């Protein structure tokens, strides 16, 4: 036997079967392997099958890789490390659930993308907020961030779906997570949130996070947990230990310069010239690294409160003095420790960044916002192309993959996810990715009307959107996983209905939001939230009107024409190969109609006792009516543009007919949405109350009816 091989010999036996197998692993304290063994046993119990005869061993090799060997009834998993062995064991557990264990073949596996992560804006406390805390989901989830049960559930799901990086994003987390000897009064006991109404004063909040904690919010504080700073430190150490046991690395990410939670003590301010502030940050960063031996690294942002007179050069000097020196201080006593620094390419440039950070004592990588705020748009975003030649194997890039598209709905289109993943840069440029929203918290589900299970526990957002998480995690590890695999997952979850029809409805409904977002592009989260047809009411357009659609822009780099571009090509008699606005409307109608037909058939066959399937079909149906709404609105905008140019009243009549149809579609969409989801305050676009927005949808009729030919385009903002 290979000298590097560790045979796994501690058996985990299923006691409920007469024909008992065993899952053998060693040593007994190898938590990732124990997790896999327990998952195999649990899957066998739930399927009322014997535990299979599985032996797991580790032979050192490429990180996270594994082999499965099948010899009759004997299954051997050979992992290159604990994570690979765990993933191999999880494959066995999944095969039991899917009923494919008997046909399981010998195979070899290695990760397509090395680091597959979650971006989690974490609302630690009223006093130490994330970027998203002036929202319903953030305030509701503050207590959950201090629940070990939540993190156990969350990290178990990450491991099952093959995610291995958890990035925790907060404006200024230090008062809630460390004690700094030089600044002892800063550390915060207890956990607060506010009971103040955040809806009415929404527009008073800066979209850049500045001044996010208002005095009137503190006046209405609620203490949701009594806990000392020492207990907080023990808590986060326990979270990181558990993450390690699931093969997950943890990082803290910050924006700068924010000093929430310090209360101005010791003269600390947001002022970049304040030497006390720099020293406080340096000491806080040092203590964060020293306090948490499991912390894999940190991520930093040169914004969004860093207006420096020397531009990027001055900002990078500040960040080095605070973070670079702080990490260096910590590593002096831990010279063998690998502590990664991920520097976001946000409001800075590569040249001043690399020059300032050339002496960083560890792995140093950058991060790029890959699809701006909309991962559900293009399968191959082009924004990074200009940057790629400057990215080297020494300092690779991470991709921030933002989902500010789908907070509510279940999504599932493996074709899209697979293409998106395989179109990412190769390993010589790519360190990994982390996906997540800025406008919503992926904690427990406080959006669904029915999110409480039979035991009275509120489900995770991950549980509602399990199918999308599974696709992104599994396909980023192995993009060759077939559509048939994901269809089997749906079939195992919902046995009362034909899996191929559920899968088809999932795919057709999931094409709708990417299609409309490519056509009606609003890059950042302030500019476009498709589930509500909203943008920020003060900073941008509010509810998108038919005029906005008529004058809108398409996603850069996509072969899609806006209405004005299309009309110009028609006028110039140019050959058109790109997708045209009428074709956009047709595509939306086709996917909506396909979805509605499939939902009708599925409801006739599905077991009404399957609550999750009922809700899933509701999501598909809602997205279909939203697709019909956008299609009719697009057709109205096309005809309105013709009326504006020519004065042809027949075009106006068609525009009016289409927009009246659109209103009918919105009403159906709103009714279905309202059955399943509550209104919510979103920190980037305000209150998303779909039924209440019907009044806004109705205003389009008056816009079309009173339109004057020859009206000039509106200003860029509106």
């Amino acid at each position: 036997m290979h000298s590097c091989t560790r045979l796994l010999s501690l058996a985990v036996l299923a006691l409920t079967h007469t024909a008992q197998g065993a899952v053998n692993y060693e040593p007994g304290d190898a938590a990732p392997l124990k997790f896999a063994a327990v998952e195999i046993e649990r899957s066998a119990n739930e399927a009322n099958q014997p535990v299979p005869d599985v032996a797991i061993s580790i032979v050192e090799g490429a990180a996270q890789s594994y082999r499965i060997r099948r010899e009759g009834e004997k299954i051997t998993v050979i992992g290159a490390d604990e994570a690979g062995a765990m993933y191999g064991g999880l494959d066995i557990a999944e095969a039991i659930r899917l009923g494919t264990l008997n046909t399981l073949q010998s195979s070899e596996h290695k990760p397509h993308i090395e680091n597959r992560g979650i971006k989690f804006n974490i609302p630690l406390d009223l006093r130490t907020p994330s970027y998203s805390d002036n929202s319903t989901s953030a305030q509701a989830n503050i207590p959950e961030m201090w629940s070990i049960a939540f993190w156990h559930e969350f990290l178990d799901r990450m491991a099952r779906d093959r995610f291995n990086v958890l990035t925790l994003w907060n404006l200024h987390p230090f008062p809630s997570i460390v004690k700094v000897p030089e600044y002892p009064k800063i550390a915060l006991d207890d956990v607060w949130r506010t009971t103040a109404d955040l809806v009415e004063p929404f527009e008073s909040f800066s979209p850049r996070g500045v001044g996010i904690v208002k005095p009137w919010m503190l006046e209405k504080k609620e203490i949701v947990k009594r806990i000392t700073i020492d207990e907080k430190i023990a808590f986060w150490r326990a979270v990181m230990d558990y993450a390690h046991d699931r093969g997950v690395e943890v990082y803290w990410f910050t924006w700068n310069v924010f000093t929430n939670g310090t209360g101005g003590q010791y003269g600390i301010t947001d002022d970049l010239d304040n030497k006390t502030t720099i020293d406080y940050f340096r000491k806080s960063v040092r203590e964060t690294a020293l306090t948490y031996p499991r912390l894999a690294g940190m991520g930093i942002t040169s914004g969004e409160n860093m207006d420096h007179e020397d531009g990027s050069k001055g900002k990078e000097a500040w960040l080095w003095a605070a973070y670079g020196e702080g990490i260096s201080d910590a590593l002096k006593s831990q010279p063998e420790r690998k502590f990664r620094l991920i520097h976001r390419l946000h409001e800075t440039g590569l040249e001043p960044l690399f020059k300032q950070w050339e002496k960083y004592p560890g792995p140093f990588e950058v991060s790029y916002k890959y699809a701006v705020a909309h991962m559900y748009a293009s399968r191959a975003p082009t924004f990074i192309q200009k940057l790629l030649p400057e990215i080297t194997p020494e300092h690779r890039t991470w991709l921030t993959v933002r989902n500010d598209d789908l907070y509510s709905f279940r999504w599932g289109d493996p074709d899209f996810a697979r293409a998106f993943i395989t179109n990412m840069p190769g390993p010589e440029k790519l360190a990994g990715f982390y996906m997540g929203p800025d406008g919503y918290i992926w904690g427990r589900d406080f959006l669904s009307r029915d999110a409480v299970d039979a035991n009275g526990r509120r489900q995770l957002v991950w549980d509602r959107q399990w199918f999308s998480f599974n696709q992104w995690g599994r396909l980023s590890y192995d993009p060759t996983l077939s559509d048939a695999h994901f269809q089997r997952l749906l079939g195992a979850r919902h046995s009362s209905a034909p899996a191929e029809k559920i899968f088809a409805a999932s795919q057709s409904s999931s094409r709708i939001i990417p299609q409309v977002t490519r056509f009606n592009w609003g890059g950042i989260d302030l500019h476009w939230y498709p589930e509500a047809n909203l943008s920020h009411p003060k900073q941008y357009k509010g509810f998108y009107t038919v005029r906005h659609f008529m004058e809108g822009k398409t996603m850069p780099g996509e072969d899609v024409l806006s209405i004005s571009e299309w009309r110009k090509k028609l006028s110039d008699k140019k050959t058109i190969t790109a997708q045209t606005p009428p074709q956009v409307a047709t595509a939306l109608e086709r996917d909506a109609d396909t979805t509605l037909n499939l939902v009708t058939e599925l409801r006739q066959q599905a077991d009404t006792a399957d609550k999750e399937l009922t809700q899933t079909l509701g999501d598909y149906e809602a997205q279909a009516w939203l697709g019909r709404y956008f299609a009719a609105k697009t057709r109205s905008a096309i005809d309105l543009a013709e009326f504006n140019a020519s004065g042809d009243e027949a075009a106006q009549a068609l525009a009016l007919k289409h927009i009246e149809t659109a209103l009918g579609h919105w009403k159906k969409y709103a009714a279905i949405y309202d059955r399943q989801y509550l209104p919510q305050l979103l920190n980037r676009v305000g209150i998303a109350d779909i039924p209440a927005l019907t009044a806004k949808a109705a205003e389009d009729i008056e816009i079309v009816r009173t339109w004057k030919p020859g009206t000039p385009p509106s200003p860029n903002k509106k």
Side-chain angles (χ1 to χ4, degrees):
M1 186 172 291
H2 195 287
S3 60
C4 294
T5 300
R6 288 181 285 162
L7 291 180
L8 312 176
S9 62
L10 179 61
V12 176
L13 301 178
L15 303 178
T16 57
H17 305 290
T18 55
Q20 294 178 20
V23 183
N24 297 313
Y25 71 96
E26 181 186 78
D29 59 354
L33 279 62
K34 180 179 180 182
F35 176 64
V38 171
E39 288 288 293
I40 293 170
E41 181 185 34
R42 182 172 65 86
S43 294
N45 287 336
E46 290 177 354
N48 197 28
Q49 295 179 9
V51 175
D53 189 3
V54 179
I56 308 176
S57 64
I58 296 177
V59 178
E60 293 178 6
Q64 305 177 58
S65 62
Y66 62 95
R67 289 175 286 160
I68 295 176
R69 292 290 176 263
R70 182 71 179 262
E71 297 179 5
E73 297 300 313
K74 176 73 173 180
I75 302 172
T76 303
V77 176
I78 306 169
D81 52 18
E82 288 188 352
M86 177 181 69
Y87 293 156
L90 292 173
D91 272 7
I92 306 304
E94 181 178 69
I96 296 170
R97 292 195 301 274
L98 299 184
T100 59
L101 185 64
N102 290 338
T103 58
L104 185 72
Q105 302 294 315
S106 296
S107 57
E108 297 189 5
H109 308 264
K110 62 179 181 179
H112 175 70
I113 295 175
E114 177 185 354
N115 296 297
R116 308 166 300 280
I118 296 297
K119 175 189 185 296
F120 196 111
N121 281 19
I122 182 165
L124 288 170
D125 190 290
L126 168 61
R127 298 161 292 179
T128 54
S130 76
Y131 211 77
S132 311
D133 278 25
N134 53 322
S135 67
T136 302
S137 62
Q139 291 299 312
N141 270 292
I142 286 175
E144 299 299 333
M145 301 304 95
W146 300 94
S147 163
I148 200 66
F150 168 80
W151 289 110
H152 285 182
E153 292 178 58
F154 193 90
L155 290 161
D156 284 352
R157 284 154 180 75
M158 286 187 66
R160 291 185 191 115
D161 290 341
R162 311 305 192 266
F163 289 100
N164 66 339
V165 172
L166 174 61
T167 61
L168 302 172
W169 297 54
N170 188 277
L171 293 173
H172 181 66
F174 307 117
S176 286
I177 63 171
V178 289
K179 295 190 297 185
V180 182
E182 295 87 346
Y183 300 91
K185 296 180 183 179
I186 299 300
L188 298 174
D189 290 333
D190 302 331
V191 179
W192 297 5
R193 68 178 171 191
T194 188
T195 61
D197 174 33
L198 301 179
V199 175
E200 186 67 27
F202 167 75
E203 293 184 13
S204 69
F205 287 98
S206 166
R208 297 177 66 82
V210 179
I212 192 171
V213 182
K214 310 290 187 184
W216 48 265
M217 296 168 66
L218 293 167
E219 289 171 3
K220 293 190 175 182
K221 73 175 186 293
E222 175 190 10
I223 300 176
V224 297
K225 189 178 184 70
R226 294 287 186 183
I227 183 172
T228 67
I229 187 62
D230 289 319
E231 290 170 330
K232 287 182 177 182
I233 289 169
F235 176 86
W236 287 110
R237 284 175 175 166
V239 170
M240 292 181 197
D241 285 344
Y242 196 88
H244 177 265
D245 292 346
R246 297 297 179 265
V248 175
E249 291 187 338
V250 178
Y251 296 79
W252 282 105
F253 272 63
T254 66
W255 289 267
N256 292 280
V257 174
F258 295 93
T259 57
N260 302 306
T262 64
Q265 297 179 96
Y266 304 101
I268 297 168
T269 68
D270 293 355
D271 186 354
L272 273 68
D273 295 325
N274 186 330
K275 293 182 180 180
T276 301
T277 299
I278 296 174
D279 183 71
Y280 158 71
F281 266 81
R282 178 174 178 171
K283 301 298 193 299
S284 296
V285 170
R286 178 200 68 199
E287 289 305 309
T288 300
L290 292 175
T291 300
Y292 298 106
R294 294 283 197 204
L295 187 65
M298 295 187 73
I300 60 173
T301 311
S302 53
E304 297 185 356
N305 191 27
M306 291 193 77
D307 292 331
H308 199 285
E309 60 182 12
D310 290 335
S312 293
K313 180 181 178 181
K315 290 194 286 187
E316 294 306 327
W318 192 98
L319 289 168
W320 171 259
Y323 290 88
E325 296 287 8
I327 294 169
S328 298
D329 292 342
L331 296 186
K332 287 175 184 176
S333 62
Q334 301 175 349
E336 302 302 316
R337 185 176 179 184
K338 175 183 168 183
F339 196 87
R340 176 184 268 128
L341 194 288
I342 303 173
H343 195 314
R344 296 182 64 209
L345 288 172
H346 184 66
E347 301 188 0
T348 190
L350 275 177
E351 184 178 350
L353 184 155
F354 283 144
K355 185 175 182 179
Q356 184 66 65
W357 289 85
E358 61 184 355
K359 294 182 180 180
Y360 180 75
F364 181 84
E365 291 156 344
V366 296
S367 173
Y368 186 80
K369 200 181 293 183
Y370 185 57
V372 195
H374 302 295
M375 64 185 285
Y376 293 108
S378 171
R379 297 177 178 216
T382 60
F383 304 107
I384 200 173
Q385 294 306 315
K386 291 182 180 179
L387 176 71
L388 281 180
E390 301 180 66
I391 299 298
T392 67
E394 183 183 6
H395 302 298
R396 296 183 298 169
T397 188
W398 292 68
L399 302 181
T400 304
V401 180
R402 284 269 298 281
N403 172 15
D404 286 298
D405 309 291
L406 289 158
Y407 302 156
S408 310
F409 297 135
R410 295 161 175 87
W411 183 93
D413 183 1
D415 283 346
F416 181 98
R418 189 181 296 110
F420 189 100
I421 288 162
T422 56
N423 283 323
M424 288 179 177
E428 72 284 352
K429 303 282 188 181
L430 183 66
F433 74 90
Y434 28 76
M435 67 179 208
D438 248 12
Y440 185 65
I441 304 299
W442 275 351
R444 291 204 185 273
D445 181 1
F446 292 92
L447 176 58
S448 298
R449 290 190 180 276
D450 186 2
V452 179
D453 64 21
N455 297 317
R457 300 203 59 180
R458 186 171 290 275
Q459 69 180 359
L460 272 61
V461 172
W462 200 299
D463 296 330
R464 168 163 42 91
Q465 298 182 325
W466 70 270
F467 193 43
S468 61
F469 281 106
N470 182 272
Q471 288 165 76
W472 289 106
R474 297 301 300 279
L475 288 169
S476 58
Y477 184 94
D478 179 8
T480 68
L481 277 177
S482 67
D483 286 0
H485 170 82
F486 293 103
Q487 185 172 306
R488 283 193 292 270
L489 283 175
L490 289 170
R493 190 104 169 185
H494 307 297
S495 59
S496 68
E500 67 277 9
K501 288 186 178 180
I502 304 174
F503 184 77
S506 176
Q507 284 197 299
S508 58
S509 63
S510 296
R511 287 192 289 262
I512 288 167
I513 281 179
Q515 173 66 84
V516 74
T517 297
R518 292 193 298 272
F519 175 66
N520 187 56
W521 178 250
I524 64 175
D525 48 6
L526 290 172
H527 292 176
W528 178 237
Y529 170 49
E531 288 184 326
N533 189 43
L534 273 181
S535 62
H536 194 284
K538 185 176 181 181
Q539 300 289 331
Y540 209 55
K541 301 176 181 180
F543 188 85
Y544 275 78
T545 68
V546 65
R547 178 176 187 169
H548 295 139
F549 267 59
M550 181 180 74
E551 297 175 350
K553 306 297 183 183
T554 58
M555 184 178 183
E558 290 299 295
D559 208 16
V560 183
L561 295 176
S562 68
I563 290 174
S564 60
E565 290 170 334
W566 172 63
R567 289 181 57 82
K568 181 72 165 58
K569 284 184 176 291
L570 288 176
S571 175
D572 294 344
K573 295 182 169 52
K574 295 285 184 68
T575 300
I576 298 176
T577 57
Q579 188 182 41
T580 67
Q583 289 170 337
V584 168
T586 298
L588 289 168
E589 290 162 346
R590 180 178 60 247
D591 285 327
D593 292 349
T594 298
T595 301
L596 290 172
N597 288 334
L598 286 165
V599 167
T600 298
E601 295 174 18
L602 284 162
R603 282 185 172 143
Q604 293 170 353
Q605 298 168 293
D607 183 353
T608 55
D610 186 343
K611 183 178 77 171
E612 183 182 77
L613 179 57
T614 299
Q615 293 170 342
T616 299
L617 296 180
D619 276 6
Y620 297 166
E621 183 183 16
Q623 289 175 87
W625 284 110
L626 183 61
R628 281 187 168 180
Y629 168 76
F630 283 133
K633 189 159 188 159
T634 298
R635 293 197 184 281
S636 179
I638 292 168
D639 290 324
L640 186 61
E642 173 60 28
F643 175 60
N644 189 56
S646 68
D648 183 354
E649 292 183 357
Q652 184 188 30
L654 282 173
L656 188 61
K657 176 183 176 182
H658 287 309
I659 207 62
E660 288 173 341
T661 299
L663 177 61
H665 295 334
W666 181 273
K667 288 179 178 178
K668 290 182 178 179
Y669 168 60
I672 298 163
Y673 187 97
D674 191 48
R675 284 202 299 267
Q676 300 201 173
Y677 300 106
L678 297 161
Q680 63 171 333
L681 176 64
L682 299 170
N683 69 306
R684 312 305 282 162
V685 298
I687 188 71
D689 185 337
I690 305 302
L693 287 170
T694 302
K696 288 289 186 183
E699 290 176 6
D700 274 340
I701 293 174
E702 192 64 16
I703 290 174
V704 174
R705 182 179 289 121
T706 60
W707 192 268
K708 303 298 181 185
T711 299
S714 56
N716 288 335
K717 177 185 170 186
K718 298 294 187 182

